[in-house]
Amino acid sequence: MITYFDDFLDQSTFTELNERMLKRFSKNLRQDVGRFNNDALAVRVRSTSTNNDFIEAACVLGSKVVIPILEQIKTFLPIEIGGINPEAHSIWFQYMNRHQKNIKHFDFPVNDRSSEQSYSALLYAHSEWEDDWGGELCVNSAEVLPKPNRLIVYSRDEEHWVNEVVHSNDEYQRMFFGSSWSLDSPNF
């Protein structure tokens, strides 16, 4: 299952997220890059929640930005994909540059739920993207472009990958704000 929603955040919130992510970028943040090709830089900053507390992540980008985005995603999930009681597990901020890609993999289930009850949500935070720049998130036969302010939600029981980013600007960062969630459902 994969779904997406364009213009997820209002313009002011999106601009603030974009500016804060650009300001916080540093090659020294390089973490958790095992799934990525080593020829290009991927930076990933991750925070895991206990009782929906994301202090570490809020320190990186600020709770003024992080918490409202999480609340908006939490409201969005039951409406768009069904289920009840959305519970966040982790959030991360990721930067990918030219020639970066992510190999095929499955994400682990979260919050002691099944893979079918676990979801990832990616909100693209870069300011521009051209269709021929690659970087599509692929889930089975679906390919979704990383357009600015697009929220993509997919089930963590689906194998997925990211196609190579092929634009020519070495300084441009493809960025996203990611979160993992579980939902309860009477169907599971």
Side-chain angles (χ1 to χ4, degrees):
M1 185 287 314
I2 184 170
T3 188
Y4 63 91
F5 186 82
D6 289 333
D7 300 318
F8 185 71
L9 300 176
D10 64 79
Q11 191 58 49
S12 174
T13 304
F14 176 75
T15 299
E16 187 167 358
L17 174 64
N18 171 269
E19 289 172 356
R20 284 177 182 250
M21 285 190 69
L22 286 170
K23 184 178 177 182
R24 298 295 189 259
F25 176 77
S26 165
K27 292 181 181 182
N28 295 330
L29 290 174
R30 188 176 177 137
Q31 297 180 19
D32 191 22
V33 293
R35 292 184 189 145
F36 303 99
N37 59 312
N38 293 325
D39 297 334
L41 174 69
V43 175
R44 188 169 177 164
V45 178
R46 183 181 202 88
S47 178
T48 302
S49 169
T50 304
N51 300 321
N52 290 317
D53 180 11
F54 293 102
I55 294 170
E56 179 184 355
C59 289
V60 174
L61 292 181
S63 60
K64 180 181 173 188
V65 172
V66 171
I67 302 306
I69 293 171
L70 289 172
E71 290 298 325
Q72 191 168 337
I73 294 170
K74 184 176 183 175
T75 301
F76 176 84
L77 289 171
I79 294 167
E80 292 299 316
I81 63 173
I84 56 174
N85 302 322
E87 184 179 337
H89 172 71
S90 65
I91 61 174
W92 63 95
F93 312 104
Q94 190 164 314
Y95 306 82
M96 293 176 76
N97 70 358
R98 188 166 78 101
H99 300 300
Q100 190 67 49
K101 63 183 176 181
N102 193 326
I103 62 173
K104 289 183 180 183
H105 67 281
F106 291 90
D107 292 336
F108 295 106
V110 298
N111 296 332
D112 297 322
R113 304 303 195 292
S114 69
S115 294
E116 293 83 10
Q117 292 173 289
S118 300
Y119 297 87
S120 290
L122 308 178
L123 176 60
Y124 291 106
H126 43 265
S127 59
E128 62 182 272
W129 198 260
E130 298 294 330
D131 291 353
D132 63 351
W133 286 1
E136 302 89 352
L137 173 67
C138 303
V139 177
N140 294 327
S141 61
E143 288 188 357
V144 182
L145 285 168
K147 294 193 176 203
N149 203 8
R150 174 176 276 177
L151 177 74
I152 300 176
V153 177
Y154 61 90
S155 174
R156 292 172 74 92
D157 68 332
E158 303 274 355
E159 185 176 40
H160 57 281
W161 62 96
V162 177
N163 288 337
E164 183 177 358
V165 175
V166 294
H167 61 73
S168 60
N169 184 348
D170 284 332
E171 301 302 315
Y172 186 79
Q173 296 298 320
R174 180 185 150 240
M175 307 180 299
F176 69 81
F177 172 90
S179 53
S180 63
W181 298 82
S182 63
L183 282 91
D184 295 327
S185 172
N187 298 328
F188 296 113

